[in-house]
Amino acid sequence: MASNDSAIPPHAHAAVSMEVPLKSSAPPPEYSATRGAGGSKKHSVVDVFFRVVLFATTVAAIVLLVISNQTELIPIAPGIAISRTGKFSHSPAHINLLATLSTAALYSIITGLISVFALRKPGGSSTKLKFHFVIVDSLLLGIMAAATGASGGVSYVGLKGNSHSRWNEICDTYDTYCIRVGASIALSLASSVTLLLLVWINVYALSKKIARR
């Protein structure tokens, strides 16, 4: 009776012996998940930082705008002068800027707290939260940029005047008022840039999450 070994062809033994397991170049699932969570944490930390910057710049701009009022004596005839006060509330553009800054400051507090709570979670901010941040940040960016531009245009007329419309400059008289309003507009511009950076950061984080899927 023939043995079982003699029934197997010789080339089969060679094929079995030459089989070598291939090593996979893909990282283990645990490693990829850990790396993804670490990147999400970094994005969340940067997001919180810029929301603190947004709060600081908006509050500083509000304070400068509110305290910008200045009272001066305006001569109207030889030996006669009347007291006039330059107020930011005399310009609808400045009022709109104040309302926009107040909204942005409140928004930065709310979203900053949400980002801090999300940072304490193991995976950081969720994709849905980042998507909502992108939408609302973009909306507020447009409103802030429009308010800053309108207020800056009015302030430029106050600084340089307009000979065609016979609008005289007022900053030679209300110098402190113009300096504070100008500083407030500059901080508003910084707030707009901060919102733009927040949009870019969250879009980048979303693209990273989508690429890992």
Side-chain angles (χ1 to χ4, degrees), residues 46-62 100-112 115 133 136-141 143-145 148 184 186-199 202:
V46 175
D47 182 87
V48 171
F49 170 75
F50 278 111
R51 294 193 186 280
V52 172
V53 173
L54 177 63
F55 173 76
T57 53
T58 51
V59 170
I62 290 171
T100 305
L101 288 169
S102 302
T103 303
L106 179 61
Y107 173 76
S108 65
I109 295 174
I110 296 173
T111 54
S115 296
F133 276 169
V136 184
D137 288 349
S138 301
L139 177 63
L140 188 58
L141 169 62
I143 298 174
M144 177 68 73
T148 303
S184 178
L187 287 170
S188 301
L189 182 60
S191 300
S192 300
V193 174
T194 303
L195 283 168
L196 179 61
L197 292 175
L198 282 169
V199 172
N202 285 304

mmCIF file of all heavy atoms in Angstrom, residues 46-62 100-112 115 133 136-141 143-145 148 184 186-199 202:
data_model
loop_
_atom_site.group_PDB
_atom_site.id
_atom_site.type_symbol
_atom_site.label_atom_id
_atom_site.label_comp_id
_atom_site.label_asym_id
_atom_site.label_seq_id
_atom_site.Cartn_x
_atom_site.Cartn_y
_atom_site.Cartn_z
ATOM 1 N N VAL A 46 -5.546 75.223 18.743
ATOM 2 C CA VAL A 46 -5.357 76.432 17.925
ATOM 3 C C VAL A 46 -6.677 77.180 17.777
ATOM 4 O O VAL A 46 -6.718 78.420 17.813
ATOM 5 C CB VAL A 46 -4.779 76.053 16.547
ATOM 6 C CG1 VAL A 46 -4.697 77.277 15.647
ATOM 7 C CG2 VAL A 46 -3.411 75.426 16.706
ATOM 8 N N ASP A 47 -7.782 76.454 17.628
ATOM 9 C CA ASP A 47 -9.102 77.071 17.503
ATOM 10 C C ASP A 47 -9.446 77.857 18.763
ATOM 11 O O ASP A 47 -9.918 78.996 18.686
ATOM 12 C CB ASP A 47 -10.143 75.983 17.242
ATOM 13 C CG ASP A 47 -11.539 76.550 17.049
ATOM 14 O OD1 ASP A 47 -11.875 76.913 15.907
ATOM 15 O OD2 ASP A 47 -12.303 76.630 18.034
ATOM 16 N N VAL A 48 -9.193 77.272 19.926
ATOM 17 C CA VAL A 48 -9.467 77.967 21.190
ATOM 18 C C VAL A 48 -8.605 79.226 21.308
ATOM 19 O O VAL A 48 -9.079 80.289 21.729
ATOM 20 C CB VAL A 48 -9.217 77.024 22.380
ATOM 21 C CG1 VAL A 48 -9.278 77.797 23.699
ATOM 22 C CG2 VAL A 48 -10.243 75.895 22.396
ATOM 23 N N PHE A 49 -7.337 79.128 20.913
ATOM 24 C CA PHE A 49 -6.430 80.275 21.001
ATOM 25 C C PHE A 49 -6.941 81.454 20.171
ATOM 26 O O PHE A 49 -6.987 82.592 20.648
ATOM 27 C CB PHE A 49 -5.031 79.864 20.529
ATOM 28 C CG PHE A 49 -4.086 81.023 20.346
ATOM 29 C CD1 PHE A 49 -3.529 81.660 21.440
ATOM 30 C CD2 PHE A 49 -3.775 81.488 19.073
ATOM 31 C CE1 PHE A 49 -2.666 82.736 21.277
ATOM 32 C CE2 PHE A 49 -2.916 82.562 18.903
ATOM 33 C CZ PHE A 49 -2.362 83.191 20.008
ATOM 34 N N PHE A 50 -7.325 81.194 18.932
ATOM 35 C CA PHE A 50 -7.778 82.278 18.064
ATOM 36 C C PHE A 50 -9.133 82.830 18.513
ATOM 37 O O PHE A 50 -9.427 84.009 18.283
ATOM 38 C CB PHE A 50 -7.845 81.819 16.617
ATOM 39 C CG PHE A 50 -6.520 81.860 15.919
ATOM 40 C CD1 PHE A 50 -5.862 80.693 15.553
ATOM 41 C CD2 PHE A 50 -5.904 83.068 15.639
ATOM 42 C CE1 PHE A 50 -4.638 80.728 14.913
ATOM 43 C CE2 PHE A 50 -4.678 83.121 15.003
ATOM 44 C CZ PHE A 50 -4.036 81.951 14.642
ATOM 45 N N ARG A 51 -9.947 82.030 19.178
ATOM 46 C CA ARG A 51 -11.214 82.558 19.703
ATOM 47 C C ARG A 51 -10.957 83.462 20.907
ATOM 48 O O ARG A 51 -11.696 84.437 21.133
ATOM 49 C CB ARG A 51 -12.159 81.414 20.043
ATOM 50 C CG ARG A 51 -12.595 80.652 18.810
ATOM 51 C CD ARG A 51 -13.736 79.704 18.980
ATOM 52 N NE ARG A 51 -13.914 78.952 17.734
ATOM 53 C CZ ARG A 51 -14.542 79.423 16.669
ATOM 54 N NH1 ARG A 51 -15.095 80.626 16.713
ATOM 55 N NH2 ARG A 51 -14.654 78.701 15.570
ATOM 56 N N VAL A 52 -9.918 83.178 21.665
ATOM 57 C CA VAL A 52 -9.511 84.096 22.739
ATOM 58 C C VAL A 52 -8.992 85.403 22.141
ATOM 59 O O VAL A 52 -9.284 86.501 22.643
ATOM 60 C CB VAL A 52 -8.449 83.427 23.632
ATOM 61 C CG1 VAL A 52 -7.875 84.427 24.631
ATOM 62 C CG2 VAL A 52 -9.045 82.237 24.376
ATOM 63 N N VAL A 53 -8.201 85.299 21.071
ATOM 64 C CA VAL A 53 -7.718 86.503 20.379
ATOM 65 C C VAL A 53 -8.887 87.321 19.836
ATOM 66 O O VAL A 53 -8.906 88.562 19.932
ATOM 67 C CB VAL A 53 -6.750 86.116 19.244
ATOM 68 C CG1 VAL A 53 -6.370 87.345 18.411
ATOM 69 C CG2 VAL A 53 -5.500 85.471 19.814
ATOM 70 N N LEU A 54 -9.883 86.650 19.277
ATOM 71 C CA LEU A 54 -11.066 87.337 18.764
ATOM 72 C C LEU A 54 -11.791 88.089 19.876
ATOM 73 O O LEU A 54 -12.206 89.240 19.699
ATOM 74 C CB LEU A 54 -12.007 86.326 18.105
ATOM 75 C CG LEU A 54 -13.337 86.868 17.572
ATOM 76 C CD1 LEU A 54 -13.100 87.888 16.465
ATOM 77 C CD2 LEU A 54 -14.220 85.727 17.063
ATOM 78 N N PHE A 55 -11.926 87.459 21.027
ATOM 79 C CA PHE A 55 -12.580 88.115 22.162
ATOM 80 C C PHE A 55 -11.788 89.341 22.610
ATOM 81 O O PHE A 55 -12.362 90.413 22.859
ATOM 82 C CB PHE A 55 -12.722 87.131 23.321
ATOM 83 C CG PHE A 55 -13.239 87.750 24.584
ATOM 84 C CD1 PHE A 55 -14.586 88.067 24.718
ATOM 85 C CD2 PHE A 55 -12.390 88.020 25.648
ATOM 86 C CE1 PHE A 55 -15.072 88.653 25.882
ATOM 87 C CE2 PHE A 55 -12.862 88.597 26.809
ATOM 88 C CZ PHE A 55 -14.208 88.912 26.929
ATOM 89 N N ALA A 56 -10.469 89.214 22.702
ATOM 90 C CA ALA A 56 -9.634 90.329 23.165
ATOM 91 C C ALA A 56 -9.696 91.518 22.208
ATOM 92 O O ALA A 56 -9.834 92.680 22.641
ATOM 93 C CB ALA A 56 -8.190 89.853 23.337
ATOM 94 N N THR A 57 -9.601 91.258 20.909
ATOM 95 C CA THR A 57 -9.605 92.358 19.946
ATOM 96 C C THR A 57 -10.971 93.046 19.867
ATOM 97 O O THR A 57 -11.043 94.280 19.751
ATOM 98 C CB THR A 57 -9.214 91.841 18.557
ATOM 99 O OG1 THR A 57 -10.058 90.731 18.194
ATOM 100 C CG2 THR A 57 -7.769 91.392 18.538
ATOM 101 N N THR A 58 -12.044 92.285 19.933
ATOM 102 C CA THR A 58 -13.378 92.899 19.864
ATOM 103 C C THR A 58 -13.686 93.720 21.104
ATOM 104 O O THR A 58 -14.234 94.825 21.009
ATOM 105 C CB THR A 58 -14.457 91.821 19.671
ATOM 106 O OG1 THR A 58 -14.296 90.792 20.660
ATOM 107 C CG2 THR A 58 -14.373 91.208 18.296
ATOM 108 N N VAL A 59 -13.325 93.205 22.279
ATOM 109 C CA VAL A 59 -13.586 93.957 23.515
ATOM 110 C C VAL A 59 -12.756 95.241 23.537
ATOM 111 O O VAL A 59 -13.262 96.319 23.917
ATOM 112 C CB VAL A 59 -13.291 93.079 24.743
ATOM 113 C CG1 VAL A 59 -13.308 93.916 26.016
ATOM 114 C CG2 VAL A 59 -14.308 91.955 24.855
ATOM 115 N N ALA A 60 -11.495 95.155 23.139
ATOM 116 C CA ALA A 60 -10.654 96.356 23.104
ATOM 117 C C ALA A 60 -11.213 97.381 22.117
ATOM 118 O O ALA A 60 -11.216 98.599 22.398
ATOM 119 C CB ALA A 60 -9.228 95.976 22.725
ATOM 120 N N ALA A 61 -11.701 96.927 20.968
ATOM 121 C CA ALA A 61 -12.284 97.842 19.986
ATOM 122 C C ALA A 61 -13.554 98.496 20.521
ATOM 123 O O ALA A 61 -13.803 99.693 20.295
ATOM 124 C CB ALA A 61 -12.589 97.092 18.690
ATOM 125 N N ILE A 62 -14.366 97.732 21.256
ATOM 126 C CA ILE A 62 -15.592 98.289 21.843
ATOM 127 C C ILE A 62 -15.252 99.377 22.854
ATOM 128 O O ILE A 62 -15.857 100.461 22.858
ATOM 129 C CB ILE A 62 -16.411 97.165 22.508
ATOM 130 C CG1 ILE A 62 -17.002 96.239 21.452
ATOM 131 C CG2 ILE A 62 -17.530 97.747 23.372
ATOM 132 C CD1 ILE A 62 -17.644 94.994 22.014
ATOM 133 N N THR A 100 -21.805 95.216 15.701
ATOM 134 C CA THR A 100 -21.119 94.050 15.144
ATOM 135 C C THR A 100 -20.035 93.556 16.083
ATOM 136 O O THR A 100 -19.873 92.343 16.282
ATOM 137 C CB THR A 100 -20.512 94.397 13.779
ATOM 138 O OG1 THR A 100 -21.540 94.903 12.914
ATOM 139 C CG2 THR A 100 -19.876 93.186 13.143
ATOM 140 N N LEU A 101 -19.285 94.468 16.670
ATOM 141 C CA LEU A 101 -18.244 94.080 17.613
ATOM 142 C C LEU A 101 -18.835 93.396 18.844
ATOM 143 O O LEU A 101 -18.277 92.413 19.351
ATOM 144 C CB LEU A 101 -17.432 95.310 18.036
ATOM 145 C CG LEU A 101 -16.488 95.899 16.986
ATOM 146 C CD1 LEU A 101 -15.973 97.251 17.446
ATOM 147 C CD2 LEU A 101 -15.336 94.947 16.704
ATOM 148 N N SER A 102 -19.959 93.913 19.332
ATOM 149 C CA SER A 102 -20.609 93.296 20.490
ATOM 150 C C SER A 102 -21.075 91.880 20.167
ATOM 151 O O SER A 102 -20.925 90.955 20.978
ATOM 152 C CB SER A 102 -21.792 94.157 20.943
ATOM 153 O OG SER A 102 -21.368 95.462 21.264
ATOM 154 N N THR A 103 -21.634 91.714 18.963
ATOM 155 C CA THR A 103 -22.061 90.381 18.539
ATOM 156 C C THR A 103 -20.881 89.428 18.436
ATOM 157 O O THR A 103 -20.951 88.267 18.872
ATOM 158 C CB THR A 103 -22.782 90.469 17.190
ATOM 159 O OG1 THR A 103 -23.883 91.374 17.287
ATOM 160 C CG2 THR A 103 -23.291 89.101 16.754
ATOM 161 N N ALA A 104 -19.781 89.907 17.860
ATOM 162 C CA ALA A 104 -18.592 89.061 17.710
ATOM 163 C C ALA A 104 -17.993 88.698 19.067
ATOM 164 O O ALA A 104 -17.509 87.571 19.256
ATOM 165 C CB ALA A 104 -17.554 89.773 16.852
ATOM 166 N N ALA A 105 -18.007 89.633 20.013
ATOM 167 C CA ALA A 105 -17.476 89.341 21.346
ATOM 168 C C ALA A 105 -18.303 88.261 22.041
ATOM 169 O O ALA A 105 -17.758 87.315 22.635
ATOM 170 C CB ALA A 105 -17.449 90.609 22.188
ATOM 171 N N LEU A 106 -19.631 88.394 21.969
ATOM 172 C CA LEU A 106 -20.501 87.374 22.565
ATOM 173 C C LEU A 106 -20.318 86.035 21.864
ATOM 174 O O LEU A 106 -20.274 84.976 22.518
ATOM 175 C CB LEU A 106 -21.959 87.833 22.478
ATOM 176 C CG LEU A 106 -23.011 86.867 23.035
ATOM 177 C CD1 LEU A 106 -22.776 86.624 24.515
ATOM 178 C CD2 LEU A 106 -24.412 87.427 22.798
ATOM 179 N N TYR A 107 -20.198 86.068 20.557
ATOM 180 C CA TYR A 107 -20.005 84.841 19.786
ATOM 181 C C TYR A 107 -18.695 84.156 20.162
ATOM 182 O O TYR A 107 -18.635 82.925 20.266
ATOM 183 C CB TYR A 107 -20.036 85.176 18.303
ATOM 184 C CG TYR A 107 -19.676 84.028 17.395
ATOM 185 C CD1 TYR A 107 -20.595 83.003 17.144
ATOM 186 C CD2 TYR A 107 -18.425 83.956 16.780
ATOM 187 C CE1 TYR A 107 -20.266 81.949 16.313
ATOM 188 C CE2 TYR A 107 -18.100 82.904 15.948
ATOM 189 C CZ TYR A 107 -19.023 81.905 15.719
ATOM 190 O OH TYR A 107 -18.695 80.854 14.896
ATOM 191 N N SER A 108 -17.641 84.951 20.373
ATOM 192 C CA SER A 108 -16.349 84.361 20.731
ATOM 193 C C SER A 108 -16.406 83.687 22.099
ATOM 194 O O SER A 108 -15.746 82.661 22.310
ATOM 195 C CB SER A 108 -15.256 85.437 20.720
ATOM 196 O OG SER A 108 -15.494 86.407 21.729
ATOM 197 N N ILE A 109 -17.182 84.240 23.019
ATOM 198 C CA ILE A 109 -17.326 83.617 24.340
ATOM 199 C C ILE A 109 -18.038 82.270 24.217
ATOM 200 O O ILE A 109 -17.586 81.252 24.765
ATOM 201 C CB ILE A 109 -18.090 84.548 25.297
ATOM 202 C CG1 ILE A 109 -17.285 85.820 25.576
ATOM 203 C CG2 ILE A 109 -18.402 83.835 26.611
ATOM 204 C CD1 ILE A 109 -18.037 86.848 26.397
ATOM 205 N N ILE A 110 -19.145 82.266 23.484
ATOM 206 C CA ILE A 110 -19.938 81.031 23.356
ATOM 207 C C ILE A 110 -19.149 79.943 22.647
ATOM 208 O O ILE A 110 -19.038 78.811 23.117
ATOM 209 C CB ILE A 110 -21.258 81.329 22.618
ATOM 210 C CG1 ILE A 110 -22.120 82.292 23.441
ATOM 211 C CG2 ILE A 110 -22.022 80.033 22.350
ATOM 212 C CD1 ILE A 110 -23.364 82.770 22.721
ATOM 213 N N THR A 111 -18.581 80.287 21.497
ATOM 214 C CA THR A 111 -17.843 79.276 20.729
ATOM 215 C C THR A 111 -16.544 78.878 21.415
ATOM 216 O O THR A 111 -16.091 77.734 21.279
ATOM 217 C CB THR A 111 -17.537 79.798 19.318
ATOM 218 O OG1 THR A 111 -16.850 81.063 19.402
ATOM 219 C CG2 THR A 111 -18.814 79.977 18.526
ATOM 220 N N GLY A 112 -15.942 79.819 22.158
ATOM 221 C CA GLY A 112 -14.736 79.461 22.911
ATOM 222 C C GLY A 112 -15.021 78.423 23.979
ATOM 223 O O GLY A 112 -14.253 77.465 24.157
ATOM 224 N N SER A 115 -15.585 75.105 22.312
ATOM 225 C CA SER A 115 -14.322 74.511 21.888
ATOM 226 C C SER A 115 -13.547 73.924 23.066
ATOM 227 O O SER A 115 -12.904 72.881 22.938
ATOM 228 C CB SER A 115 -13.465 75.565 21.178
ATOM 229 O OG SER A 115 -14.079 76.010 19.986
ATOM 230 N N PHE A 133 -18.968 75.582 12.747
ATOM 231 C CA PHE A 133 -18.058 76.701 12.983
ATOM 232 C C PHE A 133 -17.685 77.391 11.673
ATOM 233 O O PHE A 133 -17.626 78.625 11.600
ATOM 234 C CB PHE A 133 -16.794 76.218 13.693
ATOM 235 C CG PHE A 133 -16.928 76.112 15.182
ATOM 236 C CD1 PHE A 133 -15.943 75.484 15.934
ATOM 237 C CD2 PHE A 133 -18.032 76.630 15.842
ATOM 238 C CE1 PHE A 133 -16.056 75.389 17.313
ATOM 239 C CE2 PHE A 133 -18.158 76.535 17.220
ATOM 240 C CZ PHE A 133 -17.164 75.908 17.959
ATOM 241 N N VAL A 136 -20.795 79.571 10.458
ATOM 242 C CA VAL A 136 -21.090 80.766 11.245
ATOM 243 C C VAL A 136 -19.901 81.722 11.247
ATOM 244 O O VAL A 136 -20.080 82.950 11.202
ATOM 245 C CB VAL A 136 -21.496 80.377 12.682
ATOM 246 C CG1 VAL A 136 -21.900 81.614 13.472
ATOM 247 C CG2 VAL A 136 -22.636 79.370 12.672
ATOM 248 N N ASP A 137 -18.682 81.192 11.310
ATOM 249 C CA ASP A 137 -17.500 82.062 11.241
ATOM 250 C C ASP A 137 -17.449 82.825 9.925
ATOM 251 O O ASP A 137 -17.093 84.016 9.894
ATOM 252 C CB ASP A 137 -16.222 81.232 11.396
ATOM 253 C CG ASP A 137 -16.028 80.718 12.818
ATOM 254 O OD1 ASP A 137 -16.757 81.172 13.717
ATOM 255 O OD2 ASP A 137 -15.157 79.856 13.022
ATOM 256 N N SER A 138 -17.791 82.162 8.830
ATOM 257 C CA SER A 138 -17.791 82.832 7.527
ATOM 258 C C SER A 138 -18.854 83.927 7.475
ATOM 259 O O SER A 138 -18.610 85.015 6.922
ATOM 260 C CB SER A 138 -18.035 81.807 6.416
ATOM 261 O OG SER A 138 -17.054 80.803 6.417
ATOM 262 N N LEU A 139 -20.018 83.652 8.039
ATOM 263 C CA LEU A 139 -21.085 84.654 8.060
ATOM 264 C C LEU A 139 -20.666 85.868 8.870
ATOM 265 O O LEU A 139 -20.831 87.023 8.431
ATOM 266 C CB LEU A 139 -22.362 84.033 8.645
ATOM 267 C CG LEU A 139 -23.564 84.971 8.816
ATOM 268 C CD1 LEU A 139 -24.027 85.506 7.468
ATOM 269 C CD2 LEU A 139 -24.712 84.239 9.525
ATOM 270 N N LEU A 140 -20.105 85.626 10.060
ATOM 271 C CA LEU A 140 -19.678 86.744 10.904
ATOM 272 C C LEU A 140 -18.504 87.491 10.283
ATOM 273 O O LEU A 140 -18.388 88.715 10.446
ATOM 274 C CB LEU A 140 -19.304 86.216 12.294
ATOM 275 C CG LEU A 140 -19.011 87.279 13.359
ATOM 276 C CD1 LEU A 140 -20.206 88.209 13.548
ATOM 277 C CD2 LEU A 140 -18.638 86.622 14.683
ATOM 278 N N LEU A 141 -17.648 86.786 9.569
ATOM 279 C CA LEU A 141 -16.536 87.441 8.881
ATOM 280 C C LEU A 141 -17.040 88.450 7.858
ATOM 281 O O LEU A 141 -16.525 89.575 7.770
ATOM 282 C CB LEU A 141 -15.655 86.389 8.212
ATOM 283 C CG LEU A 141 -14.591 86.900 7.233
ATOM 284 C CD1 LEU A 141 -13.597 87.800 7.946
ATOM 285 C CD2 LEU A 141 -13.863 85.721 6.573
ATOM 286 N N ILE A 143 -19.960 90.010 7.853
ATOM 287 C CA ILE A 143 -20.591 91.134 8.556
ATOM 288 C C ILE A 143 -19.531 92.051 9.165
ATOM 289 O O ILE A 143 -19.626 93.285 9.074
ATOM 290 C CB ILE A 143 -21.551 90.607 9.640
ATOM 291 C CG1 ILE A 143 -22.680 89.796 9.002
ATOM 292 C CG2 ILE A 143 -22.124 91.750 10.459
ATOM 293 C CD1 ILE A 143 -23.583 89.114 10.002
ATOM 294 N N MET A 144 -18.517 91.444 9.777
ATOM 295 C CA MET A 144 -17.458 92.240 10.405
ATOM 296 C C MET A 144 -16.669 93.041 9.373
ATOM 297 O O MET A 144 -16.362 94.227 9.577
ATOM 298 C CB MET A 144 -16.522 91.309 11.184
ATOM 299 C CG MET A 144 -15.339 92.005 11.828
ATOM 300 S SD MET A 144 -15.813 93.107 13.178
ATOM 301 C CE MET A 144 -16.225 91.876 14.418
ATOM 302 N N ALA A 145 -16.346 92.422 8.258
ATOM 303 C CA ALA A 145 -15.593 93.128 7.218
ATOM 304 C C ALA A 145 -16.396 94.288 6.641
ATOM 305 O O ALA A 145 -15.850 95.376 6.387
ATOM 306 C CB ALA A 145 -15.199 92.149 6.113
ATOM 307 N N THR A 148 -16.521 97.105 9.280
ATOM 308 C CA THR A 148 -15.214 97.763 9.382
ATOM 309 C C THR A 148 -14.958 98.672 8.187
ATOM 310 O O THR A 148 -14.455 99.794 8.335
ATOM 311 C CB THR A 148 -14.106 96.698 9.485
ATOM 312 O OG1 THR A 148 -14.365 95.850 10.601
ATOM 313 C CG2 THR A 148 -12.749 97.344 9.655
ATOM 314 N N SER A 184 -9.891 101.733 17.108
ATOM 315 C CA SER A 184 -10.995 100.771 17.167
ATOM 316 C C SER A 184 -11.208 100.095 15.815
ATOM 317 O O SER A 184 -11.439 98.876 15.746
ATOM 318 C CB SER A 184 -12.275 101.479 17.619
ATOM 319 O OG SER A 184 -13.365 100.590 17.643
ATOM 320 N N ALA A 186 -8.905 99.687 13.515
ATOM 321 C CA ALA A 186 -7.760 98.796 13.292
ATOM 322 C C ALA A 186 -7.948 97.469 14.028
ATOM 323 O O ALA A 186 -7.646 96.393 13.488
ATOM 324 C CB ALA A 186 -6.472 99.479 13.746
ATOM 325 N N LEU A 187 -8.453 97.524 15.251
ATOM 326 C CA LEU A 187 -8.714 96.290 15.996
ATOM 327 C C LEU A 187 -9.860 95.490 15.370
ATOM 328 O O LEU A 187 -9.858 94.259 15.411
ATOM 329 C CB LEU A 187 -9.036 96.625 17.454
ATOM 330 C CG LEU A 187 -7.842 97.079 18.296
ATOM 331 C CD1 LEU A 187 -8.312 97.610 19.646
ATOM 332 C CD2 LEU A 187 -6.858 95.932 18.495
ATOM 333 N N SER A 188 -10.819 96.209 14.796
ATOM 334 C CA SER A 188 -11.898 95.512 14.088
ATOM 335 C C SER A 188 -11.356 94.763 12.874
ATOM 336 O O SER A 188 -11.800 93.649 12.567
ATOM 337 C CB SER A 188 -12.970 96.504 13.655
ATOM 338 O OG SER A 188 -13.511 97.194 14.756
ATOM 339 N N LEU A 189 -10.409 95.388 12.199
ATOM 340 C CA LEU A 189 -9.762 94.712 11.077
ATOM 341 C C LEU A 189 -9.005 93.473 11.550
ATOM 342 O O LEU A 189 -9.024 92.425 10.892
ATOM 343 C CB LEU A 189 -8.815 95.678 10.364
ATOM 344 C CG LEU A 189 -8.077 95.144 9.136
ATOM 345 C CD1 LEU A 189 -9.065 94.695 8.066
ATOM 346 C CD2 LEU A 189 -7.127 96.204 8.588
ATOM 347 N N ALA A 190 -8.339 93.591 12.716
ATOM 348 C CA ALA A 190 -7.651 92.433 13.288
ATOM 349 C C ALA A 190 -8.645 91.324 13.635
ATOM 350 O O ALA A 190 -8.345 90.132 13.466
ATOM 351 C CB ALA A 190 -6.867 92.853 14.530
ATOM 352 N N SER A 191 -9.828 91.702 14.101
ATOM 353 C CA SER A 191 -10.866 90.703 14.395
ATOM 354 C C SER A 191 -11.316 89.993 13.121
ATOM 355 O O SER A 191 -11.562 88.777 13.118
ATOM 356 C CB SER A 191 -12.058 91.376 15.076
ATOM 357 O OG SER A 191 -11.684 91.980 16.289
ATOM 358 N N SER A 192 -11.422 90.749 12.037
ATOM 359 C CA SER A 192 -11.806 90.146 10.760
ATOM 360 C C SER A 192 -10.755 89.145 10.285
ATOM 361 O O SER A 192 -11.082 88.055 9.810
ATOM 362 C CB SER A 192 -11.996 91.237 9.704
ATOM 363 O OG SER A 192 -13.002 92.153 10.088
ATOM 364 N N VAL A 193 -9.489 89.511 10.443
ATOM 365 C CA VAL A 193 -8.404 88.600 10.049
ATOM 366 C C VAL A 193 -8.428 87.344 10.932
ATOM 367 O O VAL A 193 -8.196 86.221 10.449
ATOM 368 C CB VAL A 193 -7.041 89.312 10.150
ATOM 369 C CG1 VAL A 193 -5.898 88.332 9.894
ATOM 370 C CG2 VAL A 193 -6.969 90.465 9.160
ATOM 371 N N THR A 194 -8.725 87.518 12.215
ATOM 372 C CA THR A 194 -8.810 86.368 13.120
ATOM 373 C C THR A 194 -9.935 85.426 12.706
ATOM 374 O O THR A 194 -9.777 84.197 12.723
ATOM 375 C CB THR A 194 -9.039 86.849 14.560
ATOM 376 O OG1 THR A 194 -7.982 87.752 14.935
ATOM 377 C CG2 THR A 194 -9.041 85.679 15.530
ATOM 378 N N LEU A 195 -11.062 85.978 12.329
ATOM 379 C CA LEU A 195 -12.165 85.142 11.850
ATOM 380 C C LEU A 195 -11.786 84.406 10.570
ATOM 381 O O LEU A 195 -12.152 83.235 10.378
ATOM 382 C CB LEU A 195 -13.410 86.005 11.615
ATOM 383 C CG LEU A 195 -14.182 86.432 12.861
ATOM 384 C CD1 LEU A 195 -15.203 87.523 12.514
ATOM 385 C CD2 LEU A 195 -14.899 85.229 13.471
ATOM 386 N N LEU A 196 -11.058 85.089 9.695
ATOM 387 C CA LEU A 196 -10.600 84.436 8.466
ATOM 388 C C LEU A 196 -9.685 83.251 8.786
ATOM 389 O O LEU A 196 -9.795 82.176 8.190
ATOM 390 C CB LEU A 196 -9.875 85.450 7.580
ATOM 391 C CG LEU A 196 -9.297 84.922 6.260
ATOM 392 C CD1 LEU A 196 -10.399 84.372 5.371
ATOM 393 C CD2 LEU A 196 -8.524 86.022 5.547
ATOM 394 N N LEU A 197 -8.778 83.439 9.750
ATOM 395 C CA LEU A 197 -7.886 82.355 10.152
ATOM 396 C C LEU A 197 -8.665 81.200 10.773
ATOM 397 O O LEU A 197 -8.329 80.017 10.553
ATOM 398 C CB LEU A 197 -6.845 82.886 11.143
ATOM 399 C CG LEU A 197 -5.815 83.873 10.585
ATOM 400 C CD1 LEU A 197 -4.930 84.400 11.698
ATOM 401 C CD2 LEU A 197 -4.970 83.223 9.498
ATOM 402 N N LEU A 198 -9.707 81.511 11.536
ATOM 403 C CA LEU A 198 -10.540 80.456 12.115
ATOM 404 C C LEU A 198 -11.225 79.629 11.026
ATOM 405 O O LEU A 198 -11.323 78.401 11.133
ATOM 406 C CB LEU A 198 -11.575 81.074 13.055
ATOM 407 C CG LEU A 198 -11.071 81.484 14.437
ATOM 408 C CD1 LEU A 198 -12.120 82.328 15.165
ATOM 409 C CD2 LEU A 198 -10.715 80.258 15.260
ATOM 410 N N VAL A 199 -11.704 80.314 9.996
ATOM 411 C CA VAL A 199 -12.335 79.593 8.881
ATOM 412 C C VAL A 199 -11.317 78.682 8.214
ATOM 413 O O VAL A 199 -11.594 77.500 7.932
ATOM 414 C CB VAL A 199 -12.938 80.588 7.868
ATOM 415 C CG1 VAL A 199 -13.419 79.861 6.622
ATOM 416 C CG2 VAL A 199 -14.091 81.358 8.499
ATOM 417 N N ASN A 202 -10.450 75.532 10.471
ATOM 418 C CA ASN A 202 -11.492 74.513 10.535
ATOM 419 C C ASN A 202 -11.690 73.812 9.186
ATOM 420 O O ASN A 202 -11.987 72.619 9.141
ATOM 421 C CB ASN A 202 -12.804 75.125 11.014
ATOM 422 C CG ASN A 202 -12.787 75.409 12.503
ATOM 423 O OD1 ASN A 202 -12.546 74.533 13.317
ATOM 424 N ND2 ASN A 202 -13.050 76.649 12.870
#
